[in-house]
Amino acid sequence: MTQAGNKVALVTGAARGIGRALAVGFSEAGYDVAISDLKSQIDGLQETQAAIERNGRAAYLQTMDVSDKKDVQSAVKRVLSEAKHIDVLINNAGILRPSTLDVLSEEDFDATMNINVKGLLFCCQAVLPSMQARRAGSIINIASIAGRGGIPTQGHYAASKASVITLTRVLSQEVGTFGIRVNAICPGVIVTEMGRKVLGTEEQQRHWMSLAALSRLGDPQDLIGPALFLSSEQSAYVTGQALNVCGGTSFD
Ligand SMILES: NC(=O)c1ccc[n+]([C@@H]2O[C@H](COP(=O)([O-])OP(=O)(O)OC[C@H]3O[C@@H](n4cnc5c(N)ncnc54)[C@H](O)[C@@H]3O)[C@@H](O)[C@H]2O)c1
């Protein structure tokens, strides 16, 4: 399947999980892909890079910490000098540190907001000037169904993802006249390293499955089709929206 032409997607948090699935899935669809993650995740990033190259596409690898504005600015600059343009930005990097709110540490609150919200904003700010100059682009922010209503032990995470949905709505209104679309995807429970933090016991797994209309947990691959749709001309009139990809767990 090739639908991309000469397009480049930048995926943050691409060393594993949903980010890797999206990066490789986009390369299968004909995109060249710029991949980034923390320096400590270089081995995983290189595995993602090899999978993209096996699909015959270019993989531009950059390490960056999304919560470090300078790091983000210089990594995006390097991607732009190599790849020349970024057509799609997928803000996927994120953390979940479960804790009830009564004992939530200031450190975990700050880290969650710094990475999930501020980091996402820094990536948008770094990529937007080049998209504005070309008067085209699609930004996809990975939020969560937790951001719709909240889930016990995920109050701070849910608040960060609600912020992602709000930033998505406002940014779409600010950059729409440049031909740039901004949408969010709200995954349900997806089986990744992060997902396993929520799943824990077999009983919890059965519980989450029973909450989904499709009676199953999500796989990282389940995010590829929706993200390709939001990146493509097929969704040319869709912006500022948050699409649940959760097997029918949330209906908000
Ligand atoms: N797995 C789920 O059930 C689920 C559900 C809803 C939303 N999400 C969201 O999907 C996204 C991906 O989650 P996942 O399940 O693949 O998680 P994951 O933990 O498997 O992967 C997250 C990736 O982000 C990277 N990352 C973390 N902090 C970073 C930073 N400061 N700078 C750069 N990279 C950083 C990690 O190194 C890792 O490679 C996250 O935004 C997450 O909140 C996941």
PDB file of all heavy atoms in Angstrom, residues 199-217:
ATOM      1  N   LEU A 199      -2.644  -3.088  33.209  1.00  0.00           N
ATOM      2  CA  LEU A 199      -3.280  -4.404  33.153  1.00  0.00           C
ATOM      3  C   LEU A 199      -2.975  -5.255  34.382  1.00  0.00           C
ATOM      4  O   LEU A 199      -3.888  -5.810  34.979  1.00  0.00           O
ATOM      5  CB  LEU A 199      -2.842  -5.123  31.878  1.00  0.00           C
ATOM      6  CG  LEU A 199      -3.420  -4.458  30.620  1.00  0.00           C
ATOM      7  CD1 LEU A 199      -2.761  -5.013  29.374  1.00  0.00           C
ATOM      8  CD2 LEU A 199      -4.933  -4.629  30.569  1.00  0.00           C
ATOM      9  N   GLY A 200      -1.688  -5.326  34.739  1.00  0.00           N
ATOM     10  CA  GLY A 200      -1.328  -6.088  35.935  1.00  0.00           C
ATOM     11  C   GLY A 200      -1.825  -7.520  35.894  1.00  0.00           C
ATOM     12  O   GLY A 200      -1.382  -8.320  35.073  1.00  0.00           O
ATOM     13  N   THR A 201      -2.772  -7.855  36.750  1.00  0.00           N
ATOM     14  CA  THR A 201      -3.204  -9.241  36.913  1.00  0.00           C
ATOM     15  C   THR A 201      -4.123  -9.686  35.767  1.00  0.00           C
ATOM     16  O   THR A 201      -4.684  -8.873  35.051  1.00  0.00           O
ATOM     17  CB  THR A 201      -4.007  -9.375  38.210  1.00  0.00           C
ATOM     18  OG1 THR A 201      -5.176  -8.535  38.078  1.00  0.00           O
ATOM     19  CG2 THR A 201      -3.209  -8.929  39.411  1.00  0.00           C
ATOM     20  N   GLU A 202      -4.304 -11.012  35.661  1.00  0.00           N
ATOM     21  CA  GLU A 202      -5.223 -11.557  34.640  1.00  0.00           C
ATOM     22  C   GLU A 202      -6.639 -11.056  34.867  1.00  0.00           C
ATOM     23  O   GLU A 202      -7.392 -10.821  33.926  1.00  0.00           O
ATOM     24  CB  GLU A 202      -5.209 -13.084  34.688  1.00  0.00           C
ATOM     25  CG  GLU A 202      -4.147 -13.662  33.775  1.00  0.00           C
ATOM     26  CD  GLU A 202      -4.158 -15.172  33.744  1.00  0.00           C
ATOM     27  OE1 GLU A 202      -5.247 -15.766  33.864  1.00  0.00           O
ATOM     28  OE2 GLU A 202      -3.061 -15.742  33.605  1.00  0.00           O
ATOM     29  N   GLU A 203      -6.975 -10.887  36.151  1.00  0.00           N
ATOM     30  CA  GLU A 203      -8.323 -10.397  36.481  1.00  0.00           C
ATOM     31  C   GLU A 203      -8.519  -8.977  35.923  1.00  0.00           C
ATOM     32  O   GLU A 203      -9.567  -8.659  35.353  1.00  0.00           O
ATOM     33  CB  GLU A 203      -8.492 -10.398  37.998  1.00  0.00           C
ATOM     34  CG  GLU A 203      -9.928 -10.227  38.435  1.00  0.00           C
ATOM     35  CD  GLU A 203     -10.023 -10.100  39.960  1.00  0.00           C
ATOM     36  OE1 GLU A 203      -9.117 -10.576  40.668  1.00  0.00           O
ATOM     37  OE2 GLU A 203     -11.013  -9.494  40.400  1.00  0.00           O
ATOM     38  N   GLN A 204      -7.467  -8.144  36.073  1.00  0.00           N
ATOM     39  CA  GLN A 204      -7.556  -6.779  35.522  1.00  0.00           C
ATOM     40  C   GLN A 204      -7.668  -6.815  33.997  1.00  0.00           C
ATOM     41  O   GLN A 204      -8.404  -6.040  33.402  1.00  0.00           O
ATOM     42  CB  GLN A 204      -6.333  -5.949  35.934  1.00  0.00           C
ATOM     43  CG  GLN A 204      -6.441  -5.399  37.342  1.00  0.00           C
ATOM     44  CD  GLN A 204      -5.102  -4.825  37.796  1.00  0.00           C
ATOM     45  OE1 GLN A 204      -4.066  -5.467  37.704  1.00  0.00           O
ATOM     46  NE2 GLN A 204      -5.133  -3.603  38.285  1.00  0.00           N
ATOM     47  N   GLN A 205      -6.947  -7.769  33.393  1.00  0.00           N
ATOM     48  CA  GLN A 205      -7.027  -7.898  31.925  1.00  0.00           C
ATOM     49  C   GLN A 205      -8.447  -8.238  31.499  1.00  0.00           C
ATOM     50  O   GLN A 205      -8.984  -7.651  30.567  1.00  0.00           O
ATOM     51  CB  GLN A 205      -6.097  -9.006  31.436  1.00  0.00           C
ATOM     52  CG  GLN A 205      -4.649  -8.644  31.553  1.00  0.00           C
ATOM     53  CD  GLN A 205      -3.766  -9.568  30.719  1.00  0.00           C
ATOM     54  OE1 GLN A 205      -4.222 -10.195  29.786  1.00  0.00           O
ATOM     55  NE2 GLN A 205      -2.498  -9.628  31.078  1.00  0.00           N
ATOM     56  N   ARG A 206      -9.045  -9.207  32.217  1.00  0.00           N
ATOM     57  CA  ARG A 206     -10.431  -9.607  31.872  1.00  0.00           C
ATOM     58  C   ARG A 206     -11.378  -8.427  32.074  1.00  0.00           C
ATOM     59  O   ARG A 206     -12.278  -8.201  31.280  1.00  0.00           O
ATOM     60  CB  ARG A 206     -10.874 -10.802  32.727  1.00  0.00           C
ATOM     61  CG  ARG A 206     -10.410 -12.144  32.164  1.00  0.00           C
ATOM     62  CD  ARG A 206     -11.161 -13.301  32.786  1.00  0.00           C
ATOM     63  NE  ARG A 206     -10.957 -13.386  34.238  1.00  0.00           N
ATOM     64  CZ  ARG A 206      -9.908 -13.983  34.804  1.00  0.00           C
ATOM     65  NH1 ARG A 206      -8.997 -14.568  34.051  1.00  0.00           N
ATOM     66  NH2 ARG A 206      -9.779 -14.020  36.114  1.00  0.00           N
ATOM     67  N   HIS A 207     -11.113  -7.643  33.139  1.00  0.00           N
ATOM     68  CA  HIS A 207     -11.950  -6.473  33.424  1.00  0.00           C
ATOM     69  C   HIS A 207     -11.905  -5.494  32.250  1.00  0.00           C
ATOM     70  O   HIS A 207     -12.950  -5.051  31.758  1.00  0.00           O
ATOM     71  CB  HIS A 207     -11.469  -5.805  34.717  1.00  0.00           C
ATOM     72  CG  HIS A 207     -12.065  -4.445  34.961  1.00  0.00           C
ATOM     73  ND1 HIS A 207     -13.386  -4.280  35.315  1.00  0.00           N
ATOM     74  CD2 HIS A 207     -11.535  -3.193  34.865  1.00  0.00           C
ATOM     75  CE1 HIS A 207     -13.636  -2.977  35.437  1.00  0.00           C
ATOM     76  NE2 HIS A 207     -12.533  -2.308  35.170  1.00  0.00           N
ATOM     77  N   TRP A 208     -10.678  -5.170  31.786  1.00  0.00           N
ATOM     78  CA  TRP A 208     -10.556  -4.195  30.700  1.00  0.00           C
ATOM     79  C   TRP A 208     -11.166  -4.727  29.405  1.00  0.00           C
ATOM     80  O   TRP A 208     -11.796  -3.993  28.656  1.00  0.00           O
ATOM     81  CB  TRP A 208      -9.090  -3.788  30.499  1.00  0.00           C
ATOM     82  CG  TRP A 208      -8.685  -2.753  31.513  1.00  0.00           C
ATOM     83  CD1 TRP A 208      -7.926  -2.957  32.633  1.00  0.00           C
ATOM     84  CD2 TRP A 208      -9.065  -1.377  31.532  1.00  0.00           C
ATOM     85  NE1 TRP A 208      -7.801  -1.788  33.335  1.00  0.00           N
ATOM     86  CE2 TRP A 208      -8.480  -0.800  32.688  1.00  0.00           C
ATOM     87  CE3 TRP A 208      -9.816  -0.568  30.690  1.00  0.00           C
ATOM     88  CZ2 TRP A 208      -8.638   0.537  33.014  1.00  0.00           C
ATOM     89  CZ3 TRP A 208      -9.978   0.776  31.013  1.00  0.00           C
ATOM     90  CH2 TRP A 208      -9.392   1.312  32.168  1.00  0.00           C
ATOM     91  N   MET A 209     -10.983  -6.034  29.170  1.00  0.00           N
ATOM     92  CA  MET A 209     -11.580  -6.629  27.959  1.00  0.00           C
ATOM     93  C   MET A 209     -13.094  -6.522  28.016  1.00  0.00           C
ATOM     94  O   MET A 209     -13.748  -6.222  27.032  1.00  0.00           O
ATOM     95  CB  MET A 209     -11.176  -8.094  27.826  1.00  0.00           C
ATOM     96  CG  MET A 209      -9.809  -8.274  27.235  1.00  0.00           C
ATOM     97  SD  MET A 209      -9.562  -9.975  26.767  1.00  0.00           S
ATOM     98  CE  MET A 209      -8.202 -10.406  27.776  1.00  0.00           C
ATOM     99  N   SER A 210     -13.641  -6.767  29.211  1.00  0.00           N
ATOM    100  CA  SER A 210     -15.106  -6.764  29.335  1.00  0.00           C
ATOM    101  C   SER A 210     -15.675  -5.359  29.148  1.00  0.00           C
ATOM    102  O   SER A 210     -16.843  -5.206  28.800  1.00  0.00           O
ATOM    103  CB  SER A 210     -15.533  -7.330  30.695  1.00  0.00           C
ATOM    104  OG  SER A 210     -15.252  -6.365  31.697  1.00  0.00           O
ATOM    105  N   LEU A 211     -14.848  -4.333  29.361  1.00  0.00           N
ATOM    106  CA  LEU A 211     -15.334  -2.955  29.178  1.00  0.00           C
ATOM    107  C   LEU A 211     -15.418  -2.554  27.702  1.00  0.00           C
ATOM    108  O   LEU A 211     -16.098  -1.588  27.351  1.00  0.00           O
ATOM    109  CB  LEU A 211     -14.395  -1.960  29.887  1.00  0.00           C
ATOM    110  CG  LEU A 211     -14.369  -1.994  31.413  1.00  0.00           C
ATOM    111  CD1 LEU A 211     -13.421  -0.922  31.934  1.00  0.00           C
ATOM    112  CD2 LEU A 211     -15.766  -1.780  31.990  1.00  0.00           C
ATOM    113  N   ALA A 212     -14.729  -3.302  26.847  1.00  0.00           N
ATOM    114  CA  ALA A 212     -14.685  -2.940  25.422  1.00  0.00           C
ATOM    115  C   ALA A 212     -15.801  -3.652  24.667  1.00  0.00           C
ATOM    116  O   ALA A 212     -16.000  -4.862  24.835  1.00  0.00           O
ATOM    117  CB  ALA A 212     -13.329  -3.325  24.830  1.00  0.00           C
ATOM    118  N   ALA A 213     -16.519  -2.908  23.816  1.00  0.00           N
ATOM    119  CA  ALA A 213     -17.579  -3.523  23.004  1.00  0.00           C
ATOM    120  C   ALA A 213     -17.015  -4.673  22.176  1.00  0.00           C
ATOM    121  O   ALA A 213     -17.693  -5.681  21.966  1.00  0.00           O
ATOM    122  CB  ALA A 213     -18.207  -2.466  22.094  1.00  0.00           C
ATOM    123  N   LEU A 214     -15.761  -4.548  21.744  1.00  0.00           N
ATOM    124  CA  LEU A 214     -15.153  -5.598  20.921  1.00  0.00           C
ATOM    125  C   LEU A 214     -14.525  -6.708  21.770  1.00  0.00           C
ATOM    126  O   LEU A 214     -13.910  -7.634  21.221  1.00  0.00           O
ATOM    127  CB  LEU A 214     -14.100  -4.993  19.981  1.00  0.00           C
ATOM    128  CG  LEU A 214     -14.664  -4.027  18.927  1.00  0.00           C
ATOM    129  CD1 LEU A 214     -13.541  -3.458  18.048  1.00  0.00           C
ATOM    130  CD2 LEU A 214     -15.715  -4.704  18.047  1.00  0.00           C
ATOM    131  N   SER A 215     -14.660  -6.615  23.093  1.00  0.00           N
ATOM    132  CA  SER A 215     -14.204  -7.656  24.036  1.00  0.00           C
ATOM    133  C   SER A 215     -12.750  -8.057  23.856  1.00  0.00           C
ATOM    134  O   SER A 215     -12.399  -9.230  23.996  1.00  0.00           O
ATOM    135  CB  SER A 215     -15.059  -8.927  23.905  1.00  0.00           C
ATOM    136  OG  SER A 215     -16.393  -8.630  24.097  1.00  0.00           O
ATOM    137  N   ARG A 216     -11.923  -7.089  23.507  1.00  0.00           N
ATOM    138  CA  ARG A 216     -10.487  -7.399  23.453  1.00  0.00           C
ATOM    139  C   ARG A 216      -9.682  -6.156  23.782  1.00  0.00           C
ATOM    140  O   ARG A 216     -10.195  -5.038  23.735  1.00  0.00           O
ATOM    141  CB  ARG A 216     -10.091  -7.954  22.079  1.00  0.00           C
ATOM    142  CG  ARG A 216     -10.101  -6.937  20.945  1.00  0.00           C
ATOM    143  CD  ARG A 216      -9.434  -7.533  19.698  1.00  0.00           C
ATOM    144  NE  ARG A 216      -9.504  -6.663  18.540  1.00  0.00           N
ATOM    145  CZ  ARG A 216      -8.607  -5.717  18.239  1.00  0.00           C
ATOM    146  NH1 ARG A 216      -7.581  -5.490  19.049  1.00  0.00           N
ATOM    147  NH2 ARG A 216      -8.727  -4.978  17.154  1.00  0.00           N
ATOM    148  N   LEU A 217      -8.408  -6.409  24.139  1.00  0.00           N
ATOM    149  CA  LEU A 217      -7.496  -5.295  24.377  1.00  0.00           C
ATOM    150  C   LEU A 217      -6.965  -4.806  23.034  1.00  0.00           C
ATOM    151  O   LEU A 217      -7.082  -5.494  22.021  1.00  0.00           O
ATOM    152  CB  LEU A 217      -6.338  -5.760  25.258  1.00  0.00           C
ATOM    153  CG  LEU A 217      -6.748  -6.297  26.636  1.00  0.00           C
ATOM    154  CD1 LEU A 217      -5.561  -6.969  27.324  1.00  0.00           C
ATOM    155  CD2 LEU A 217      -7.292  -5.163  27.502  1.00  0.00           C
TER     156      LEU A 217
END
